[in-house]
Amino acid sequence: MTERIIETLADVEEGAEALAALCPRLGAARALCGDLPLRRKPEGFAELLSAIVSQQVSVASANAIWGRVAAAGLTTPEAVAEATEESLRELGLSRQKIRYAKALAAAGIDFDGLREMPSEAVIARLTEVAGIGRWTAEIYAMFSLGRADVFAHNDLALQEAARVLYGLETRPKERQMREMAQAWSPWRSVAARLLWAYYRVEKQREGIR
């Protein structure tokens, strides 16, 4: 696996400089937003479970629910497999997310092995699990594995940030976003960080947990 890995803030800065040189609008966004965050996260089961918890709820709600899940010690496949549906529901998980959490616990993902796989293969493996869509897999590849050239094309905050930054009449859908992001390779993960930062400045709220 020879893909570039983002490990330090210097890596993020390198990508940001390249993007600013490539596109004046990205350069303007960078000047407005300042230094971008590293956003590296741990690898493993707990991070994917946290991502499932975050789906289709606000950042504040996701943080609250995940805080209760973590406090209950439900951060391993074994613990989630043994937990009752009632106990998970009491922590704030919907019936659907309980099903997804159980599926993840039973999936037998080789998290160490993911490090050696190309990003698209990582995404393919993760999306085999019920409840892990492409967005969740892309976020894991970006932040847990540190892949430098992954983008979450269907992320609404990224789409809205791109609409405002590029003066588009409507928010770009996944296909248009994919076409736009192609120009930002090999630093698409840094472009995502920049657009999330721009979203926070423009909308005064976080677009990513």
Side-chain angles (χ1 to χ4, degrees):
M1 205 283 296
T2 59
E3 293 179 47
R4 177 70 182 266
I5 303 297
I6 292 176
E7 296 178 332
T8 67
L9 283 170
D11 296 326
V12 176
E13 181 65 14
E14 181 184 346
E17 288 183 4
L19 291 167
L22 174 72
C23 174
R25 290 180 188 264
L26 291 178
R30 183 192 178 209
L32 179 66
C33 298
D35 293 338
L36 301 178
L38 180 59
R39 285 195 179 278
R40 280 301 303 266
K41 294 184 175 182
E43 300 173 45
F45 175 85
E47 281 302 314
L48 274 180
L49 182 59
S50 175
I52 288 173
V53 166
S54 300
Q55 293 172 359
Q56 298 180 323
V57 297
S58 69
V59 172
S61 294
N63 286 337
I65 297 169
W66 178 248
R68 294 193 291 271
V69 170
L74 299 176
T75 55
T76 67
E78 296 78 13
V80 171
E82 293 174 2
T84 65
E85 288 195 15
E86 182 180 1
S87 66
L88 292 171
R89 197 158 46 244
E90 288 173 353
L91 296 173
L93 292 180
S94 66
R95 185 182 304 276
Q96 184 179 57
K97 288 187 179 179
I98 291 170
R99 181 167 66 84
Y100 293 163
K102 293 286 189 179
L104 178 61
I109 295 173
D110 177 6
F111 288 101
D112 290 337
L114 293 181
R115 287 191 215 118
E116 309 305 320
M117 296 167 61
S119 292
E120 279 302 321
V122 170
I123 292 166
R125 173 64 183 98
L126 295 182
T127 54
E128 290 174 356
V129 182
I132 299 182
R134 189 171 178 93
W135 180 88
T136 301
E138 288 164 342
I139 295 300
Y140 187 86
M142 267 196 257
F143 298 144
S144 291
L145 298 180
R147 302 300 170 83
D149 199 29
V150 174
F151 195 88
H153 305 93
N154 209 30
D155 184 276
L156 294 182
L158 292 181
Q159 292 174 352
E160 177 64 12
R163 183 193 69 79
V164 176
L165 182 61
Y166 286 91
L168 304 176
E169 290 188 6
T170 59
R171 194 169 64 210
K173 302 299 184 185
E174 181 177 0
R175 181 176 176 180
Q176 185 181 356
M177 195 77 255
R178 190 175 294 277
E179 292 171 354
M180 291 177 68
Q182 188 63 43
W184 305 328
S185 183
W187 292 107
R188 282 176 285 190
S189 292
V190 177
R193 287 167 169 83
L194 178 54
L195 288 173
W196 275 313
Y198 184 73
Y199 180 89
R200 176 172 48 80
V201 170
E202 286 292 322
K203 302 295 182 179
Q204 296 298 304
R205 64 179 185 268
E206 294 291 342
I208 184 69
R209 179 164 169 259

